[in-house]
C-alpha cells in the first residue's frame, strides 16, 4: 500500500511540474497618447529556457 501511495505522489508531483510555466518578466513602457490609433512601438522578447523577458515600448509621434 505504501508503494502505491508513493507512486501516486510522484505522479502528482510530475504533473504539477509539467503544468507550471517557467517564470517570465513582462515589462511595458506605454508613453503614447491614448487617442493615438497607431503609436510607434518597439517589442522584444528573450527566452533563456529558465527565465523569459518580454519588453514593449510605445510612444506617439509629435505632429507639427
Amino acid at each position: 500500500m505504501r508503494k502505491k501511495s508513493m507512486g501516486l505522489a510522484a505522479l502528482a508531483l510530475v504533473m504539477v511540474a509539467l503544468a507550471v510555466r517557467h517564470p517570465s518578466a513582462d515589462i511595458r513602457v506605454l508613453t503614447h497618447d491614448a487617442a493615438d490609433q497607431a503609436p510607434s512601438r518597439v517589442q522584444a522578447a528573450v527566452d533563456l529556457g529558465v527565465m523569459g523577458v518580454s519588453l514593449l515600448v510605445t510612444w506617439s509621434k509629435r505632429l507639427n
Side-chain angles (χ1 to χ4, degrees), residues 13-49:
L13 183 61
V14 168
M15 290 177 67
V16 168
L18 291 175
V20 175
R21 289 186 56 209
H22 65 280
S24 62
D26 185 11
I27 303 167
R28 297 172 187 249
V29 180
L30 305 175
T31 60
H32 66 276
D33 183 16
D36 189 356
Q37 295 294 320
S40 298
R41 65 189 265 170
V42 173
Q43 189 169 5
V46 176
D47 189 355
L48 302 174

